[in-house]
Amino acid sequence: MKIRKELWFGFSLMGLIILGALTMLLSADKITNGHIGLLMLSLVVVAIMLGFPTAFTLMGMGMIFTWIAYEENTAKTLNLMVASAFKVMSNDVLISIPLFVFMGYLVERANLIEKLFKSLHLALVRVPGALAVATLVTCAVFATATGIVGAVVTLMGLLALPQMLRAGYDVKLSAGAITAGGCLGILIPPSVMLIVYGATAGVSVVQLYAGAFFPGIMLAGLYIVYVIIVAKLKPSMAPPLPEAERYIPLPPLMEKIAPSHSTRVLPALLKALKGHSNAGVPTRYLLKQLGVVLLPLLLFVFVALWSYASVTTVTVEEATALQTMDGSSESSASADNDGLAAPPGSEPDKERMQEPPGSEPAQAGAAPAAVQEPAAAAAADVVTTQPAPTGYWIGVAVGALALVLYYALLSFTRLEVFKMLLTSFFPLLVLILAVLGSIVLGLATPTEAAAVGALGGFLLAIAYKQLTLEVVKESVFLTAKTSAMVCWLFVGSAIFSAAFALLGGQELVENWVMSMNLSKTEFLVLSQVIIFILGWPLEWTEIIVIFMPIFIPLLDNFGVDPLFFGLLVALNLQTAFLSPPVAMAAFYLKGVSPPHVTLNQIFAGMLPFMGIQIIAIVLLYNFPGIGLWLPELLYK
């Protein structure tokens, strides 16, 4: 029987791992418990690659080697297992996982992705490589709302891949865009992976979400730029769409008042409302269309007024503090010998400063009544407004200019595209912003925001008439299945990490790393290379729960912020879905692709996007502000 190349690769990698572990044991002068811990780590990786369930492999190996570490004391081993399981199950952060997963399954079953892809495709039709760009944007938005990589890749494989192949797109480029775009859900918040990392590393999930926002947008932007460059340099790989596919029919009533599809909408609607040129179109219909046209203007006015109120309002406490500081600086200057300090070595006469007998000592922080009354009067007269800063007016001017250009270019065809976006893109955007905004702005904890997201998923399913008992049952079942998998992974990880620490494996690794005299940069490069290589045989869940407890204790030795390290890892773990032989995104796509699309073509199409991920990691390392600016702005 002929064995496939992927199996040869996997067996060879497992052989190298076992050979390395045996070489380490045989070359050691004395085999210690730490070496046994490293052997346990090697056996766990090999067992997972052979297909054993990750959670139960971790628990089983952890229990066996804990029993060895405790010198065959069964009672202590069982106590450790119970304590580890209880510690995981009492972690409040993990409550948000089933809620976010439930939101994702509900949104997935609302059948929004087809409308979203079609509307984005028509909105971006003039962009080079429009279908691939629309695919990436759809994947980014939908992956953000669901966070379920397999679902996004599968749905886009059914929807976008046939269209791109019919349009003459290169198979590799099409496959790479779908698989890379579908994996963005594990990076862009609300991401389950960030929750898992935060719970493992003890980092605030709120700060992780704020930090991962711009790196996620950056990575998606790099994908889009790559596709546009390829479409420009090699039009045969992503040919422009024919005019027939760009045509959008107008509703019958709109056809009566539209001289042509390219006519500007706003003047035509205002002219039709005069009465003599509405061609029998009901006024109610015209007003409804005008309301849709004016939605961006109304939104701009609302945001501008709300922003003006925010930037010009000063709280009474801040204003009082500012006024007190101004007044105290003057009084202290006049009272302290006209601003001159006391001569060095001089001390106040303590006897003259003592209170006379019978007098009550003044309370700390209390002011005489004569001073309190003017202070209260001054507080009442505090000004609670301030002029708007220059940046606000610049923002308003830019927004107004953009609005003028929008209405100048808004034709009847573009209005129909805008309506399609209103029913597909904007509901998802509102849901995402409601969830992320409430977390990032500190209005809700991740768990509370996840509950809001689950409610939003319900409302979307109701709005699109997809909420049935069968959909709810299936979503609940899949949510319970996924949540149980994650929680058992945490239990297995806790037992495994405890066994690894008891055997001294962590100390052995730490001593080995410190003996190399690495700089901070060298340590980060080494750690990211190891994680990149681990992404070939392992999935991100296994890398997080097995290897992060080994890396995290080393960060303090090199002065690395766990938040920044988590962002680098999140970018790096994109490769876990794109790197063979365990490139799950490739297998998801292969399962729904036409027979002539081979697995090797899909793998080849993913390689350029893996290179882009490495570029994104380098950019984040050289410009940490991409990930750290927003958390520092909001929480520091």
Side-chain angles (χ1 to χ4, degrees):
M1 183 179 68
K2 186 179 179 180
I3 301 179
R4 294 183 302 177
K5 295 179 180 179
E6 303 91 67
L7 293 178
W8 276 118
F9 179 83
F11 287 136
S12 301
L13 193 58
M14 285 187 284
L16 288 174
I17 293 172
I18 295 174
L19 182 62
L22 292 176
T23 303
M24 174 198 66
L25 291 175
L26 295 175
S27 62
D29 297 331
K30 180 183 178 182
I31 297 178
T32 63
N33 282 348
H35 293 95
I36 297 175
L38 293 178
L39 176 63
M40 175 184 69
L41 180 62
S42 304
L43 291 176
V44 164
V45 174
V46 171
I48 291 171
M49 291 179 64
L50 286 173
F52 288 95
T54 304
F56 297 104
T57 300
L58 289 171
M59 283 189 283
M61 290 286 187
M63 292 292 293
I64 293 171
F65 282 88
T66 300
W67 186 69
I68 295 173
Y70 277 135
E71 299 178 353
E72 304 180 6
N73 190 322
T74 305
K76 286 186 176 181
T77 303
L78 294 176
N79 288 337
L80 177 67
M81 182 188 72
V82 173
S84 300
F86 181 78
K87 177 183 176 183
V88 170
M89 296 309 171
S90 60
N91 191 339
D92 294 339
V93 176
L94 299 181
I95 300 174
S96 59
I97 292 179
L99 293 171
F100 276 131
V101 173
F102 185 60
M103 176 190 78
Y105 281 121
L106 283 176
V107 171
E108 175 199 342
R109 278 151 180 74
N111 289 336
L112 275 173
I113 194 166
E114 184 174 356
K115 296 179 181 179
L116 179 63
F117 175 69
K118 185 177 180 182
S119 58
L120 287 173
H121 163 217
L122 293 173
L124 302 169
V125 72
R126 297 185 182 276
V127 178
L131 273 173
V133 172
T135 298
L136 287 168
V137 176
T138 304
C139 285
V141 174
F142 204 70
T144 304
T146 62
I148 306 166
V149 172
V152 177
V153 173
T154 301
L155 289 173
M156 291 306 296
L158 290 170
L159 184 64
L161 184 60
Q163 291 197 34
M164 285 194 280
L165 296 180
R166 280 199 303 269
Y169 275 57
D170 181 70
V171 175
K172 298 176 183 177
L173 179 65
S174 305
I178 293 174
T179 52
C183 295
L184 289 169
I186 67 170
L187 172 62
I188 302 178
S191 164
V192 173
M193 188 204 72
L194 295 176
I195 299 175
V196 175
Y197 175 83
T200 304
V203 180
S204 167
V205 176
V206 175
Q207 295 191 27
L208 280 171
Y209 275 4
F213 185 72
F214 286 117
I217 292 177
M218 175 188 69
L219 185 59
L222 289 174
Y223 289 162
I224 292 171
V225 169
Y226 167 74
V227 168
I228 292 174
I229 291 174
V230 169
K232 273 288 187 182
L233 297 179
K234 296 182 179 179
S236 60
M237 295 182 67
L241 294 175
E243 289 295 331
E245 299 222 5
R246 303 185 185 189
Y247 178 77
I248 304 174
L250 300 181
L253 291 177
M254 195 69 81
E255 287 276 8
K256 295 182 179 181
I257 59 174
S260 68
H261 285 213
S262 59
T263 304
R264 286 188 297 166
V265 172
L266 191 57
L269 284 177
L270 294 175
K271 183 179 180 182
L273 278 172
K274 293 180 180 179
H276 60 82
S277 58
N278 58 4
V281 179
T283 303
R284 182 179 178 182
Y285 178 82
L286 293 175
L287 290 175
K288 183 179 178 181
Q289 300 303 314
L290 185 62
V292 173
V293 171
L294 294 178
L295 273 179
L297 176 61
L298 297 176
L299 179 63
F300 173 76
V301 171
F302 171 78
V303 172
L305 293 176
W306 178 76
S307 302
Y308 182 81
S310 299
V311 299
T312 58
T313 300
V314 180
T315 61
V316 175
E317 292 81 2
E318 292 176 351
T320 306
L322 289 173
Q323 192 176 54
T324 303
M325 288 174 65
D326 292 340
S328 62
S329 61
E330 294 177 3
S331 60
S332 60
S334 60
D336 192 12
N337 296 325
D338 297 327
L340 297 176
S346 64
E347 295 182 358
D349 189 350
K350 295 180 180 179
E351 294 181 356
R352 294 195 321 181
M353 293 177 64
Q354 290 179 350
E355 296 287 338
S359 63
E360 296 180 1
Q363 295 181 356
V371 178
Q372 286 183 355
E373 292 180 1
D381 296 335
V382 167
V383 178
T384 57
T385 59
Q386 63 181 359
T390 306
Y392 168 79
W393 296 113
I394 293 175
V396 169
V398 171
L401 180 61
L403 206 61
V404 170
L405 291 175
Y406 170 78
Y407 283 113
L409 299 174
L410 184 63
S411 63
F412 280 91
T413 298
R414 292 192 175 99
L415 177 61
E416 295 305 311
V417 175
F418 178 68
K419 290 180 189 176
M420 295 172 68
L421 290 172
L422 275 180
T423 58
S424 59
F425 177 72
F426 290 107
L428 279 178
L429 187 64
V430 170
L431 175 64
I432 295 166
L433 291 179
V435 173
L436 293 185
S438 59
I439 295 175
V440 172
L441 296 178
L443 302 176
T445 65
T447 303
E448 294 166 345
V452 172
L455 176 62
F458 256 111
L459 296 178
L460 280 179
I462 292 172
Y464 289 92
K465 300 178 181 178
Q466 299 294 326
L467 188 65
T468 62
L469 181 61
E470 189 64 30
V471 167
V472 174
K473 284 172 59 179
E474 189 176 355
S475 300
V476 169
F477 172 75
L478 292 173
T479 299
K481 183 179 177 182
T482 304
S483 303
M485 181 268 292
V486 172
C487 290
W488 280 117
L489 271 175
F490 265 102
V491 173
S493 171
I495 297 173
F496 172 82
S497 302
F500 193 69
L502 284 171
L503 289 168
Q506 179 66 47
E507 183 181 358
L508 195 65
V509 171
E510 188 168 350
N511 291 337
W512 173 69
V513 173
M514 297 305 296
S515 67
M516 299 171 67
N517 295 321
L518 299 174
S519 64
K520 176 182 176 181
T521 302
E522 291 169 341
F523 167 74
L524 285 174
V525 171
L526 175 64
S527 60
Q528 296 306 315
V529 168
I530 292 174
I531 293 170
F532 180 78
I533 295 173
L534 289 172
W536 295 356
L538 303 177
E539 295 187 40
W540 68 264
T541 48
E542 296 149 359
I543 296 172
I544 290 288
V545 299
I546 298 174
F547 292 95
M548 286 306 106
I550 298 175
F551 282 117
I552 297 301
L554 297 171
L555 299 183
D556 286 340
N557 298 320
F558 296 95
V560 178
D561 184 0
L563 172 62
F564 180 64
F565 187 76
L567 299 179
L568 289 174
V569 171
L571 273 175
N572 202 343
L573 285 179
Q574 297 284 309
T575 59
F577 277 93
L578 298 183
S579 52
V582 192
M584 293 307 299
F587 294 106
Y588 292 141
L589 183 59
K590 175 58 182 172
V592 296
S593 60
H596 68 274
V597 178
T598 66
L599 199 58
N600 287 336
Q601 287 177 313
I602 298 175
F603 282 148
M606 294 190 303
L607 289 179
F609 291 92
M610 287 181 63
I612 293 173
Q613 291 168 358
I614 295 173
I615 293 173
I617 294 172
V618 173
L619 287 174
L620 179 60
Y621 176 76
N622 286 291
F623 304 99
I626 298 173
L628 298 180
W629 174 77
L630 189 58
E632 290 175 354
L633 176 69
L634 295 173
Y635 309 116
K636 298 285 178 75

